[in-house]
Amino acid sequence: MTRKKTTLAMTILSGTLLAGPGWAAEVPAGVQLAKVQHLVKGNGAEPATLDPHKTEGVPESNIQRDLFEGLVVSGPRGETLPGVAERWETDDNMRFVFHLRADARWSNGEPVTAEDFVYSFRRAIAPQTASPYSWYLEIPTIINASAILKGEQEASTLGVTALDERTLEIRLAQPVPYFVTMLAHTTTYPVNRKVIEQHGDNWTRPGNLVSNGAYTLSDWVVNEKIELVRNIHYWNNEKTVIDKVSYLPIASQNAAMNRFLAGELDLTNEMPIEHFKRLQKEHPQEVRVTGYVGTYYYQFNTRKPPFDDVRVRKALSYAIDRDVIARLVMGQGQKPGYTMTPEIVDGFTPPTLEWAGWSQKERDNRARELLNEAGFNKQNPLKFELLYNTSENHKKVAVAVASMWKKHLGAEAELVNQEWKTYLDTKTQGNFDVSRAGWIADYNEASSMLDLLLTTHGNNDGKYSNPEFDALMKASRAIVEPEARNAKYTQAEEILAEDMPIAPIYQYVTARLVQQYVGGYPDNPLDNLYSRDMYILAH
């Protein structure tokens, strides 16, 4: 039996991985808990859905991690830990067998079975579900996933099989050594077939929703709150301390900050950047900043002139002063971004890109040359729309970047602000010129960032396509040795630097306010927070 452990995830070469120590609320001995265990979180936006197979955004995933549990979960440091599956084995990284817990239960008390996962995987990939993340099951080459997405096979042919009530088999077309780490994602969560068939699209409403995570849905008032309560049938309920969780869709970071300071919020989703230094000084124990496996970038609609011209894309990218954005506009520890994959990703070594080593003056000069070659100048200035979703921080970045483009290129960017749901629809339909975007890794591996630029990727809203890039990423999946696999990722980043389908701007950090009485708050690089891991101290 051979096992190789990476920094933040388990890469299984062969053999069996057994369940490790417990991972719920670990309350230190002698700590006094508050009588009322109610956690109130700011969530940034009203979720578009609570259906895990129709989700693509962070606001939705935050809630679904509490409601549902997949085969594995993300640990406090981003490591992969057993979830509904207490153990699993593989000999070739192509056939994986998962053994489900005997005490895994839905919130209605019924057992969670292997057949529930078969139904859920098939539902997630079926074209009629219209899942924005259906591609997620194609990426690791689950048998027949590609053919199903193309309409050439039925969802029932997907390589996911229930061997018996508690044993699940998943078969891949080629070896993918990091496959298990992918299974903590919302797209792989089980859903209850009976409930969906009974209630249809209303299955996620209070009173209808049946979940298998540490919590279940008790109330949902649109644009006001979503409330969850303990799922008494959850297999690890005895180690869960928080009894009730409230998610508040507060889009304004200033409003969230004020409610936090007034004691009405236990955690904020983000922090207003203009107050960051003051808050650090006045509330140092409440300001929590951690590394985050994600990149903030601008996305070009590569099928829409003039953004089908690489010279235009490069010119706009070069003219963004990333140091100013990261250090002065954001100023919370963000790093300038020149690649899609941030440095914090486990095992990744960024390539040495020529343009990243230029001074900003050199970049601006080259940008003007490129834009002039593309036919844009003072007499014929480049004019376009820059789309972003409602957020003070996004607006500040957009204003700063638009000013840079205007000053150094004479380009005129009209800022277009849309609320979250509309923004997602606009991007999906391709009705934009340049759009603000951000991508947070679904698992701590560079492929989770780079796959976004694959021709067939469901979230490739800019419609970038390069066969060489696609082939490189396909070849990387079969490479077991992490160093050799990461060498392919470095090459992929070099291709992106030449094609510039996106303009990376900065590498994310997680910066939020957390009350001192919240125990169990993790420094998770994926920012995968589970309320079941936390507790409220007496205060």
Side-chain angles (χ1 to χ4, degrees):
M1 182 183 303
T2 303
R3 297 183 188 139
K4 181 162 185 174
K5 188 173 183 181
T6 59
T7 305
L8 292 172
M10 184 70 73
T11 300
I12 304 173
L13 302 182
S14 64
T16 302
L17 178 64
L18 299 174
W23 53 91
E26 298 289 346
V27 183
V31 167
Q32 186 175 357
L33 296 174
K35 292 182 179 179
V36 176
Q37 291 293 318
H38 179 197
L39 186 65
V40 184
K41 300 180 176 181
N43 201 38
E46 175 68 19
T49 178
L50 290 184
D51 187 333
H53 300 156
K54 297 187 177 182
T55 293
E56 59 180 319
V58 172
E60 296 79 18
S61 298
N62 289 340
I63 302 169
Q64 289 164 359
R65 273 191 297 274
D66 280 348
L67 289 172
F68 300 93
E69 184 169 276
L71 294 166
V72 301
V73 298
S74 179
R77 295 172 302 282
E79 70 274 34
T80 299
L81 297 174
V84 175
E86 61 183 356
R87 59 187 175 89
W88 54 87
E89 65 254 4
T90 182
D91 292 322
D92 56 7
N93 287 316
M94 294 177 67
R95 178 180 181 268
F96 294 81
V97 177
F98 297 86
H99 302 274
L100 310 192
R101 299 177 185 278
D103 53 355
R105 292 284 185 275
W106 292 103
S107 54
N108 63 5
E110 296 177 356
V112 178
T113 67
E115 193 58 47
D116 288 326
F117 280 94
V118 172
Y119 166 76
S120 300
F121 273 71
R122 289 176 178 176
R123 178 177 184 263
I125 203 168
Q128 56 265 38
T129 303
S131 170
Y133 252 78
S134 57
W135 55 264
Y136 194 77
L137 302 183
E138 180 186 27
I139 291 296
T141 71
I142 296 179
I143 293 290
N144 288 332
S146 294
I148 294 167
L149 289 176
K150 293 174 183 175
E152 298 170 356
Q153 294 271 11
E154 295 297 320
S156 59
T157 66
L158 188 68
V160 180
T161 306
L163 301 181
D164 58 41
E165 188 174 75
R166 288 176 48 206
T167 311
L168 181 74
E169 177 192 67
I170 301 179
R171 291 176 296 119
L172 311 183
Q174 66 181 64
V176 178
Y178 52 85
F179 174 62
V180 173
T181 70
M182 298 180 67
L183 297 177
H185 191 264
T186 55
T187 306
T188 67
Y189 286 172
V191 292
N192 191 289
R193 181 173 189 167
K194 293 179 184 177
V195 171
I196 292 174
E197 291 178 347
Q198 179 180 354
H199 297 289
D201 290 340
N202 292 321
W203 79 272
T204 57
R205 306 306 303 173
N208 296 344
L209 189 145
V210 171
S211 57
N212 76 314
Y215 298 88
T216 192
L217 181 65
S218 62
D219 195 15
W220 185 353
V221 181
V222 175
N223 290 322
E224 183 180 330
K225 65 179 179 179
I226 287 180
E227 293 189 337
L228 316 180
V229 295
R230 288 261 290 271
N231 171 13
I232 60 172
H233 297 290
Y234 178 57
W235 67 270
N236 212 13
N237 183 51
E238 287 186 6
K239 284 195 172 183
T240 304
V241 176
I242 298 290
D243 294 318
K244 179 179 179 180
V245 188
S246 296
Y247 284 91
L248 309 185
I250 307 171
S252 168
Q253 290 158 15
N254 283 306
M257 174 190 69
N258 291 332
R259 293 187 67 171
F260 176 91
L261 295 175
E264 299 173 10
L265 277 181
D266 300 321
L267 289 83
T268 65
N269 185 55
E270 293 180 289
M271 293 174 61
I273 53 181
E274 68 271 23
H275 294 288
F276 179 74
K277 289 184 178 179
R278 176 181 67 84
L279 291 168
Q280 263 195 326
K281 183 178 180 180
E282 297 177 3
H283 303 274
Q285 300 303 315
E286 286 86 4
V287 173
R288 302 294 293 269
V289 180
T290 58
Y292 198 13
V293 184
T295 298
Y296 190 105
Y297 60 95
Y298 280 169
Q299 184 172 46
F300 300 112
N301 192 337
T302 63
R303 291 188 181 177
K304 186 175 183 179
F307 304 102
D308 57 346
D309 188 332
V310 67
R311 295 172 298 184
V312 173
R313 301 196 298 266
K314 281 188 173 182
L316 292 177
S317 180
Y318 289 172
I320 299 172
D321 191 331
R322 290 155 174 82
D323 186 62
V324 167
I325 299 297
R327 185 170 53 85
L328 300 180
V329 178
M330 299 304 296
Q332 298 170 320
Q334 291 85 351
K335 293 182 178 181
Y338 299 95
T339 58
M340 179 61 178
T341 310
E343 297 170 14
I344 194 176
V345 167
D346 197 21
F348 175 69
T349 301
T352 301
L353 302 176
E354 183 183 10
W355 71 276
W358 298 342
S359 68
Q360 189 56 47
K361 184 178 180 180
E362 290 173 322
R363 290 189 202 119
D364 292 339
N365 289 338
R366 182 57 181 148
R368 281 190 291 273
E369 292 174 358
L370 288 166
L371 210 55
N372 189 62
E373 290 174 13
F376 296 98
N377 47 45
K378 290 183 179 180
Q379 290 71 40
N380 181 35
L382 175 64
K383 298 180 180 180
F384 59 94
E385 291 184 348
L386 173 59
L387 172 69
Y388 67 94
N389 58 295
T390 304
S391 162
E392 289 104 332
N393 288 359
H394 298 332
K395 181 178 181 179
K396 287 181 173 65
V397 174
V399 169
V401 172
S403 176
M404 294 170 186
W405 285 336
K406 177 66 174 176
K407 179 179 179 181
H408 299 293
L409 303 179
E412 300 174 11
E414 179 186 349
L415 305 189
V416 178
N417 169 39
Q418 296 180 347
E419 60 89 19
W420 180 245
K421 293 181 184 179
T422 305
Y423 157 84
L424 290 177
D425 289 341
T426 299
K427 286 219 310 166
T428 300
Q429 294 165 12
N431 296 328
F432 68 94
D433 297 329
V434 182
S435 173
R436 169 265 154 190
W439 192 253
I440 309 304
D442 296 312
Y443 49 97
N444 200 344
E445 221 263 349
S447 61
S448 187
M449 301 295 299
L450 291 167
D451 283 343
L452 183 71
L453 282 308
L454 290 170
T455 299
T456 58
H457 197 288
N459 287 84
N460 182 0
D461 297 326
K463 303 306 178 186
Y464 169 67
S465 180
N466 182 322
E468 183 184 358
F469 178 86
D470 292 349
L472 195 62
M473 291 305 297
K474 181 179 181 180
S476 72
R477 303 197 197 292
I479 301 174
V480 173
E481 175 54 47
E483 289 185 9
R485 193 165 66 246
N486 274 285
K488 293 289 186 184
Y489 299 147
T490 300
Q491 294 175 30
E493 288 285 5
E494 290 170 344
I495 293 174
L496 296 183
E498 280 302 309
D499 293 350
M500 205 67 78
I502 64 167
I505 298 178
Y506 65 79
Q507 300 175 27
Y508 275 112
V509 295
T510 299
R512 63 165 53 94
L513 291 163
V514 181
Q515 300 285 7
Q516 292 187 57
Y517 54 72
V518 175
Y521 178 82
D523 291 332
N524 187 307
L526 297 169
D527 201 36
N528 286 344
L529 306 184
Y530 298 85
S531 298
R532 57 166 166 72
D533 292 337
M534 299 184 223
Y535 49 92
I536 306 296
L537 299 164
H539 59 283

